[in-house]
Amino acid sequence: MVSLKNKRIISYSIILLILLLIFCIAIPVIILYDPLRKTTSVRQLLPAPAPPLVQVPVPVPVSALAAAAPPPPVPVRAVTTSISCPPGYVVSGLGTCVNFQIDYNNCGSLGNVCPSNYASCSAGVCSNAPAVQLLHAIAIPGWDGSSSVDDAVVSLALPSNLSLTLYGYSSSTISISSNGVICLVSCTSVYTNAALPTTAFTGPTALALWDDLMIYSGTSQGVYYQIEGGTPNRTIAFEFYTSKFNASQNYYHFQVKFYENQPGIVEYIYYGVSDKGGSATIGTQKSASGPGIEYSMNKPNAVWSNMTLTFNTNTNTFWIKNGTIV
C-alpha cells in the first residue's frame, strides 16, 4: 500500500507538471498577442526591416550652375549679299554669274546644257560655230553680237593700277579696233592692211590679225576680255571672235594676251582663221616710223589652229609656240 507521504509526493508532482504545461502554453500566446489587431503573426517575431535610404540632394553653388549651363543661343541675322555680274551676265540661282548667250552649260536659260553634237552656245542657241574660250568673258559693250559692228573703235579703261606695256610705254586706257588691233595710244578704223611700220597707227600697237573683220548681229561674235590673277601677276586677255566683211560664214577667232609681270611681252593665240591669215598683217610696232616686228603680211598659211605667236618688244624678236626665235 502506498503510504500517505508518497501520495502527497505524487500529488505535488502532478500539480507541478500541470503548472509547467500551463506555463509553456501561456507564455507564447502572451508574446504573440497584438492588442491592436487582436491577432497573432509569426512576422512579429522577425526583426523589422531597415527603412529605405533617402538620397538628400546636395546643394550646388550658383556659380557652378552658371558654368555648367549652356550659353544662350546667339541670334543669327540673315545677311543678304548682292552679287554684281559683268555686263552680259545674270545671277543664277546658285549665286554665280552666267552668260546665257555663250555659256555651253547654260545656253539660253539656266541649266540648259547643249547636247554633245554641238560645239558651242551662240546667241543663246546651241551651235557648231566656234565657242568663246574665256571662261569669264566680258563683252566690249555693244560688241557682243547684239548688233553688227564694222570698222569700229572703242576705248577701254582698265582697273586701277593695271596697265599694258609695249616698247617701254605703259597705258591703263587702251583703244581697240574691231579689225583685230589693240593700241596703247589710239586706234583708227582703217581696214585695209599694210606692211609694218604703217602710218595707220601712231603709237605702240599690237596687230594680231589686221584685216577687214566684222561682227554679225544675232550671233555670239564679238570682242571679249578677261582679267585673271592678282597683283603683280595679273593676265589680261582679249578674245576676238569675228567673221569677215561680206563673208559671214568665215571665222576669225584668236586671243591677245598681256602679262603684268612681263612688260613688253604680247602673245597671240589662234583658234581658227578661215583663210589662215592670207589677207592680214600680223606683228607689232612702236610708232608710225617704227621700229616694228612684222611676222606676216598677206602671207599664205601664216597661222593655223592652236598656234601661238609671242612678241618681245624689248628685244624686237618673236617666236612660235615651240620657242624658236625668228
Side-chain angles (χ1 to χ4, degrees):
M1 293 184 65
V2 179
S3 63
L4 180 61
K5 183 178 179 179
N6 290 335
K7 288 181 179 180
R8 288 178 179 178
I9 292 173
I10 294 172
S11 299
Y12 290 152
S13 299
I14 294 171
I15 291 172
L16 289 174
L17 183 60
I18 293 171
L19 291 175
L20 181 61
L21 182 61
I22 293 172
F23 180 81
C24 290
I25 295 173
I27 291 302
V29 171
I30 294 172
I31 293 173
L32 297 176
Y33 178 72
D34 186 346
L36 295 178
R37 297 177 58 189
K38 307 291 185 178
T39 61
T40 58
S41 173
V42 177
R43 294 182 62 184
Q44 298 293 333
L45 299 176
L46 299 176
L53 295 177
V54 179
Q55 294 184 350
V56 179
V58 179
V60 181
V62 176
S63 59
L65 289 174
V74 178
V76 178
R77 180 179 298 174
V79 178
T80 302
T81 303
S82 60
I83 299 176
S84 178
C85 293
Y89 284 75
V90 296
V91 180
S92 71
L94 300 176
T96 58
C97 297
V98 296
N99 188 334
F100 292 160
Q101 299 300 302
I102 61 175
D103 192 329
Y104 188 88
N105 296 309
N106 298 280
C107 190
S109 62
L110 186 64
N112 182 36
V113 181
C114 290
S116 59
N117 58 322
Y118 289 100
S120 66
C121 175
S122 179
V125 178
C126 296
S127 169
N128 282 315
V132 175
Q133 298 298 306
L134 296 176
L135 294 179
H136 305 289
I138 302 173
I140 299 295
W143 291 16
D144 55 0
S146 57
S147 60
S148 295
V149 178
D150 182 35
D151 303 332
V153 174
V154 68
S155 180
L156 178 67
L158 301 179
S160 177
N161 299 323
L162 177 60
S163 60
L164 306 185
T165 302
L166 289 175
Y167 293 101
Y169 178 85
S170 300
S171 178
S172 58
T173 301
I174 61 173
S175 181
I176 304 171
S177 166
S178 60
N179 289 322
V181 180
I182 296 177
C183 308
L184 270 56
V185 176
S186 62
C187 275
T188 66
S189 58
V190 175
Y191 62 86
T192 303
N193 65 308
L196 301 180
T198 174
T199 57
F201 306 100
T202 59
T205 305
L207 303 98
L209 196 79
W210 181 22
D211 205 343
D212 191 7
L213 307 181
M214 183 170 179
I215 298 169
Y216 285 83
S217 64
T219 69
S220 290
Q221 294 181 4
V223 178
Y224 301 86
Y225 71 97
Q226 175 179 300
I227 299 172
E228 290 184 322
T231 306
N233 300 306
R234 288 173 289 183
T235 300
I236 181 167
F238 299 89
E239 183 166 342
F240 288 76
Y241 169 26
T242 68
S243 288
K244 199 171 183 179
F245 182 73
N246 283 337
S248 60
Q249 298 305 313
N250 291 343
Y251 296 112
Y252 298 77
H253 188 195
F254 53 95
Q255 286 184 3
V256 182
K257 283 188 175 182
F258 295 86
Y259 299 90
E260 185 178 20
N261 60 1
Q262 298 182 60
I265 302 292
V266 62
E267 188 174 74
Y268 306 156
I269 304 171
Y270 300 93
Y271 296 107
V273 177
S274 292
D275 64 2
K276 303 185 184 301
S279 61
T281 297
I282 299 173
T284 64
Q285 72 173 39
K286 182 177 182 179
S287 68
S289 58
I293 310 172
E294 182 180 281
Y295 166 72
S296 68
M297 190 267 182
N298 296 338
K299 176 183 177 181
N301 302 315
V303 299
W304 53 88
S305 295
N306 299 315
M307 170 186 173
T308 300
L309 274 173
T310 304
F311 292 81
N312 187 340
T313 61
N314 303 310
T315 59
N316 223 40
T317 56
F318 71 91
W319 58 92
I320 305 175
K321 187 175 183 177
N322 62 11
T324 302
I325 296 178
V326 181

Short mmCIF file of all heavy atoms in Angstrom, two decimals, residues 77-101:
data_model
loop_
_atom_site.label_atom_id
_atom_site.label_comp_id
_atom_site.label_asym_id
_atom_site.label_seq_id
_atom_site.Cartn_x
_atom_site.Cartn_y
_atom_site.Cartn_z
N ARG A 77 21.52 86.72 -87.70
CA ARG A 77 20.93 87.74 -88.55
C ARG A 77 21.14 87.36 -90.02
O ARG A 77 22.24 87.06 -90.43
CB ARG A 77 21.57 89.10 -88.27
CG ARG A 77 21.01 90.24 -89.12
CD ARG A 77 21.67 91.55 -88.75
NE ARG A 77 21.42 91.91 -87.36
CZ ARG A 77 21.98 92.95 -86.76
NH1 ARG A 77 22.82 93.73 -87.42
NH2 ARG A 77 21.71 93.20 -85.49
N ALA A 78 20.08 87.31 -90.74
CA ALA A 78 20.17 86.98 -92.17
C ALA A 78 20.95 88.08 -92.90
O ALA A 78 20.69 89.26 -92.73
CB ALA A 78 18.78 86.85 -92.77
N VAL A 79 21.95 87.62 -93.69
CA VAL A 79 22.78 88.56 -94.43
C VAL A 79 22.48 88.40 -95.92
O VAL A 79 22.57 87.31 -96.48
CB VAL A 79 24.28 88.30 -94.17
CG1 VAL A 79 25.12 89.26 -95.00
CG2 VAL A 79 24.58 88.44 -92.69
N THR A 80 22.13 89.43 -96.54
CA THR A 80 21.83 89.43 -97.96
C THR A 80 23.03 90.00 -98.73
O THR A 80 23.43 91.13 -98.49
CB THR A 80 20.58 90.27 -98.27
OG1 THR A 80 19.49 89.74 -97.53
CG2 THR A 80 20.27 90.23 -99.76
N THR A 81 23.62 89.16 -99.56
CA THR A 81 24.79 89.58 -100.33
C THR A 81 24.37 89.85 -101.77
O THR A 81 23.82 88.98 -102.43
CB THR A 81 25.87 88.48 -100.31
OG1 THR A 81 26.20 88.19 -98.95
CG2 THR A 81 27.11 88.95 -101.05
N SER A 82 24.63 91.04 -102.21
CA SER A 82 24.30 91.38 -103.59
C SER A 82 25.48 91.02 -104.48
O SER A 82 26.62 91.35 -104.18
CB SER A 82 23.99 92.88 -103.70
OG SER A 82 25.11 93.65 -103.28
N ILE A 83 25.21 90.28 -105.52
CA ILE A 83 26.25 89.84 -106.45
C ILE A 83 26.22 90.74 -107.67
O ILE A 83 25.17 90.95 -108.28
CB ILE A 83 26.01 88.38 -106.85
CG1 ILE A 83 26.09 87.48 -105.61
CG2 ILE A 83 27.03 87.93 -107.89
CD1 ILE A 83 25.77 86.05 -105.90
N SER A 84 27.37 91.27 -108.00
CA SER A 84 27.48 92.14 -109.16
C SER A 84 28.11 91.36 -110.30
O SER A 84 29.22 90.85 -110.18
CB SER A 84 28.33 93.37 -108.81
OG SER A 84 28.49 94.19 -109.94
N CYS A 85 27.38 91.23 -111.37
CA CYS A 85 27.87 90.50 -112.54
C CYS A 85 28.30 91.48 -113.63
O CYS A 85 27.72 92.57 -113.74
CB CYS A 85 26.80 89.57 -113.09
SG CYS A 85 26.39 88.20 -111.98
N PRO A 86 29.29 91.11 -114.43
CA PRO A 86 29.71 91.99 -115.53
C PRO A 86 28.62 92.11 -116.59
O PRO A 86 27.68 91.30 -116.61
CB PRO A 86 30.96 91.29 -116.08
CG PRO A 86 30.80 89.86 -115.67
CD PRO A 86 30.10 89.89 -114.35
N PRO A 87 28.72 93.08 -117.44
CA PRO A 87 27.72 93.25 -118.50
C PRO A 87 27.57 91.98 -119.33
O PRO A 87 28.55 91.32 -119.67
CB PRO A 87 28.29 94.40 -119.34
CG PRO A 87 29.16 95.16 -118.41
CD PRO A 87 29.76 94.14 -117.48
N GLY A 88 26.33 91.63 -119.64
CA GLY A 88 26.06 90.43 -120.41
C GLY A 88 25.82 89.20 -119.57
O GLY A 88 25.43 88.16 -120.09
N TYR A 89 26.04 89.30 -118.25
CA TYR A 89 25.85 88.17 -117.36
C TYR A 89 24.65 88.41 -116.45
O TYR A 89 24.27 89.56 -116.18
CB TYR A 89 27.10 87.96 -116.49
CG TYR A 89 28.24 87.29 -117.22
CD1 TYR A 89 29.01 88.02 -118.13
CD2 TYR A 89 28.56 85.96 -117.02
CE1 TYR A 89 30.07 87.42 -118.81
CE2 TYR A 89 29.62 85.36 -117.69
CZ TYR A 89 30.37 86.10 -118.57
OH TYR A 89 31.40 85.50 -119.23
N VAL A 90 24.07 87.32 -115.95
CA VAL A 90 22.98 87.39 -115.00
C VAL A 90 23.32 86.50 -113.82
O VAL A 90 24.13 85.57 -113.93
CB VAL A 90 21.64 86.96 -115.63
CG1 VAL A 90 21.24 87.90 -116.74
CG2 VAL A 90 21.72 85.53 -116.16
N VAL A 91 22.69 86.76 -112.67
CA VAL A 91 22.93 85.96 -111.47
C VAL A 91 22.06 84.70 -111.53
O VAL A 91 20.86 84.77 -111.73
CB VAL A 91 22.61 86.76 -110.20
CG1 VAL A 91 22.87 85.91 -108.95
CG2 VAL A 91 23.43 88.04 -110.15
N SER A 92 22.71 83.55 -111.37
CA SER A 92 21.98 82.29 -111.39
C SER A 92 21.44 82.00 -110.00
O SER A 92 21.77 82.68 -109.02
CB SER A 92 22.90 81.15 -111.84
OG SER A 92 23.84 80.86 -110.81
N GLY A 93 20.63 80.94 -109.88
CA GLY A 93 20.11 80.54 -108.59
C GLY A 93 21.17 80.06 -107.64
O GLY A 93 20.94 79.98 -106.43
N LEU A 94 22.35 79.72 -108.15
CA LEU A 94 23.46 79.27 -107.32
C LEU A 94 24.35 80.42 -106.88
O LEU A 94 25.38 80.19 -106.24
CB LEU A 94 24.29 78.24 -108.09
CG LEU A 94 23.55 76.98 -108.54
CD1 LEU A 94 24.47 76.09 -109.37
CD2 LEU A 94 23.02 76.22 -107.34
N GLY A 95 23.97 81.64 -107.24
CA GLY A 95 24.76 82.79 -106.84
C GLY A 95 25.98 83.02 -107.69
O GLY A 95 26.94 83.66 -107.26
N THR A 96 25.99 82.48 -108.89
CA THR A 96 27.11 82.69 -109.81
C THR A 96 26.64 83.51 -111.01
O THR A 96 25.43 83.64 -111.25
CB THR A 96 27.67 81.34 -110.30
OG1 THR A 96 26.61 80.60 -110.94
CG2 THR A 96 28.22 80.52 -109.15
N CYS A 97 27.59 84.04 -111.73
CA CYS A 97 27.27 84.84 -112.91
C CYS A 97 27.37 83.96 -114.16
O CYS A 97 28.39 83.29 -114.36
CB CYS A 97 28.22 86.03 -113.03
SG CYS A 97 28.10 87.21 -111.66
N VAL A 98 26.34 83.95 -114.96
CA VAL A 98 26.36 83.16 -116.20
C VAL A 98 25.92 84.03 -117.36
O VAL A 98 25.15 84.98 -117.20
CB VAL A 98 25.45 81.91 -116.10
CG1 VAL A 98 25.94 80.96 -115.03
CG2 VAL A 98 24.01 82.32 -115.82
N ASN A 99 26.43 83.69 -118.53
CA ASN A 99 26.08 84.40 -119.76
C ASN A 99 25.29 83.43 -120.64
O ASN A 99 25.85 82.52 -121.24
CB ASN A 99 27.34 84.88 -120.48
CG ASN A 99 27.03 85.79 -121.67
OD1 ASN A 99 25.96 85.71 -122.25
ND2 ASN A 99 27.99 86.64 -122.02
N PHE A 100 23.98 83.62 -120.68
CA PHE A 100 23.12 82.72 -121.44
C PHE A 100 23.41 82.76 -122.94
O PHE A 100 23.00 81.87 -123.67
CB PHE A 100 21.65 83.08 -121.21
CG PHE A 100 21.16 82.82 -119.82
CD1 PHE A 100 20.03 83.46 -119.34
CD2 PHE A 100 21.82 81.94 -118.99
CE1 PHE A 100 19.57 83.22 -118.05
CE2 PHE A 100 21.37 81.69 -117.69
CZ PHE A 100 20.25 82.34 -117.22
N GLN A 101 24.14 83.77 -123.40
CA GLN A 101 24.40 83.90 -124.82
C GLN A 101 25.54 83.00 -125.30
O GLN A 101 25.55 82.56 -126.45
CB GLN A 101 24.73 85.36 -125.17
CG GLN A 101 23.62 86.34 -124.86
CD GLN A 101 22.36 86.01 -125.64
OE1 GLN A 101 22.38 85.97 -126.87
NE2 GLN A 101 21.26 85.79 -124.94
#
